[in-house]
Amino acid sequence: MKLLAKTLFGLEEVLAAELRELGAGGVTVLNRAVAFEGPRSLLYTVNYRSRLALSVLMPVASFSITGQKDLYNGAVSVDWDHYLDTGMTYAVTAVVNSRHFTHTGYAALVVKDAIADFFRRLTRERPSVDQKSPDLLVNVHISNDKVTISLDSSGTPLYKRGYRRGQSEAPLSEVLAAGMIALSGWKAETPLTDGMCGSGTIVAEAGLIACNIAPGRFRRSFGFMKWKDYDAALFRSVKFEAEKKERKSPVRIYGSDISPDACSTAAENIREAGLAGTVEIAERDFFNNPPPAAEGVLIINPPYGQRIGTSDMGEFYGSIGSVLKHHYTGYTAWILSGDQANLKAVALKPFRKFNLLNGDIECRFLGYELYGGSRKKNAPDVR
């Protein structure tokens, strides 16, 4: 099967590495996506175990267009009865960057009508549209003159793990948090801490990695479970193999925040993820407390003006740099921020830099080695 995993900007290379580890072949890095190949079991496995994919698509048609009518003709030519029957429901989403369409919704409507007409011609009946919980979610991607129509095997996006019961202001996506950890090179060999943890997304994802817990373990359903060819026994075996790999974390993970409400939310999320014995949440001021361990990895996502901000961001970031320099010797520290001007006030030289997106905010993810002597560790060489 030819498949496509969608991800966030900047995480393509680490997703490609993850897919190879899961057994994917033909891995090709694209823009915000990675193409790969494998059997049906791999489609189930990536949905269940990938930490870095937003969704997994299975292309069913690819063709070129010279106008809007070509989209209808190409869509109505797909053998939709292989994937749908008149007793099922469907929905169509579209991503369009083409001179032929000025409205994404119209392209989705054209494909929706083509599917309905295919069944009317075949059976004089048609499946119903259900935008909220369809049996089959169809994805249309149009780039200039090229159209790809795919089936979305994930359904609900994969960043919605299922363990989060609450969130603080401006929470990170679980996929972005896992991607930051992957980019940092952390392998659960030293403690990890987040001194501004908010609702605890970074430390929760780190806990799942440390315990080898598949992120899909908390979800009740995936899109492929409603497909006509769903193999329940095969999916049970995929889950069983994943659960066999679970372990007790070899390291401790620490999350803290100055806000008692944030700590309460984070602690609840950690309990829901089954990580209470792995991740410690404490109400602490990052600027006035020592690190929770002698050495390790620090990953923080401090406030920045476009999210929540403070009155003097330059002074705030300068204080972060001072704390890192004087109190976090023995650590590798990573900062995600969309405030690139004030980020310079950290006044430390980063050894790695990545460009990421937090929602629609362009961010820098910078790594700082805080060792007194020579460098001991390096992040993986991904760009």
Side-chain angles (χ1 to χ4, degrees):
M1 301 170 64
K2 294 185 181 297
L3 302 166
L4 185 79
K6 296 174 65 178
T7 192
L8 298 173
F9 171 81
L11 302 184
E12 296 92 346
E13 292 287 351
V14 285
L15 172 58
E18 179 188 61
L19 291 171
R20 292 186 186 101
E21 288 181 5
L22 293 176
V27 175
T28 303
V29 174
L30 306 171
N31 180 33
R32 303 194 194 196
V34 178
F36 64 104
E37 299 175 0
R40 185 172 306 279
S41 60
L42 183 64
L43 181 144
Y44 294 172
T45 296
V46 174
N47 272 289
Y48 193 72
R49 293 177 55 186
S50 175
R51 305 181 193 279
L52 305 174
L54 294 171
S55 60
V56 183
L57 307 180
M58 185 179 78
V60 296
S62 181
F63 51 89
S64 297
I65 59 174
T66 58
Q68 295 182 0
K69 185 177 290 187
D70 292 336
L71 176 61
Y72 176 89
N73 292 336
V76 81
S77 299
V78 176
D79 292 325
W80 290 109
D81 54 331
H82 290 178
Y83 316 109
L84 265 173
D85 60 43
T86 55
M88 296 171 66
T89 60
Y90 73 103
V92 180
T93 62
V95 177
V96 178
N97 180 17
S98 172
R99 60 190 171 87
H100 302 300
F101 293 91
T102 58
H103 194 282
T104 296
Y106 181 68
L109 181 63
V110 169
V111 175
K112 179 182 74 69
D113 289 344
I115 295 172
D117 290 347
F118 172 89
F119 280 98
R120 284 195 187 99
R121 296 172 186 175
L122 188 68
T123 67
R124 296 187 179 181
E125 296 180 355
R126 51 157 290 180
S128 299
V129 173
D130 182 347
Q131 297 290 353
K132 291 184 178 181
S133 183
D135 295 321
L136 190 73
L137 180 58
V138 179
N139 178 277
V140 180
H141 185 271
I142 306 176
S143 177
N144 297 319
D145 298 333
K146 174 135 185 226
V147 177
T148 303
I149 299 178
S150 306
L151 309 185
D152 187 332
S153 69
S154 304
T156 302
L158 296 177
Y159 74 85
K160 295 186 177 181
R161 311 290 203 220
Y163 65 75
R164 184 145 69 181
R165 291 295 178 266
Q167 62 186 39
S168 58
E169 190 175 359
L172 282 178
S173 154
E174 289 86 337
V175 165
L176 179 57
M180 290 160 58
I181 295 168
L183 290 171
S184 78
W186 185 73
K187 302 293 185 183
E189 296 169 347
T190 59
L192 181 143
T193 182
D194 178 356
M196 303 179 185
C197 72
S199 57
T201 308
I202 291 173
V203 290
E205 290 297 313
L208 297 181
I209 292 168
C211 296
N212 277 341
I213 296 174
R217 197 175 197 275
F218 309 97
R219 288 174 56 120
R220 294 182 179 181
S221 65
F222 296 87
F224 61 76
M225 297 173 74
K226 296 181 179 180
W227 288 8
K228 290 176 68 173
D229 60 359
Y230 171 54
D231 188 334
L234 180 60
F235 185 48
R236 282 195 299 269
S237 72
V238 165
K239 292 194 293 182
F240 179 72
E241 288 301 315
E243 290 169 7
K244 286 198 306 183
K245 299 178 185 297
E246 293 180 7
R247 65 177 184 178
K248 181 179 179 180
S249 173
V251 296
R252 194 74 173 160
I253 297 164
Y254 304 92
S256 61
D257 201 281
I258 195 172
S259 165
D261 290 341
C263 289
S264 176
T265 299
E268 181 183 14
N269 292 336
I270 293 302
R271 286 193 298 271
E272 287 294 328
L275 298 170
T278 299
V279 180
E280 176 184 310
I281 301 295
E283 184 183 333
R284 291 159 54 95
D285 182 353
F286 174 76
F287 298 103
N288 293 298
N289 283 280
E295 63 177 2
V297 173
L298 170 76
I299 302 178
I300 56 174
N301 174 36
Y304 34 97
Q306 292 165 283
R307 292 170 68 244
I308 44 183
T310 67
S311 57
D312 190 337
M313 298 303 293
E315 181 180 348
F316 179 76
Y317 277 89
S319 297
I320 291 176
S322 180
V323 169
L324 295 182
K325 182 177 179 180
H326 295 292
H327 299 291
Y328 278 81
T329 301
Y331 274 73
T332 301
W334 291 84
I335 301 175
L336 176 77
S337 179
D339 192 340
Q340 297 186 35
N342 287 308
L343 191 54
K344 296 177 182 177
V346 171
L348 295 171
K349 185 178 180 179
F351 76 99
R352 292 307 307 271
K353 302 177 182 180
F354 297 99
N355 296 319
L356 300 174
L357 285 177
N358 183 9
D360 58 356
I361 300 173
E362 295 182 4
C363 294
R364 298 281 274 173
F365 186 49
L366 305 182
Y368 306 89
E369 287 192 327
L370 306 172
Y371 296 106
S374 60
R375 285 186 357 199
K376 293 181 180 180
K377 296 181 184 293
N378 256 317
D381 188 17
V382 293
R383 302 182 188 278

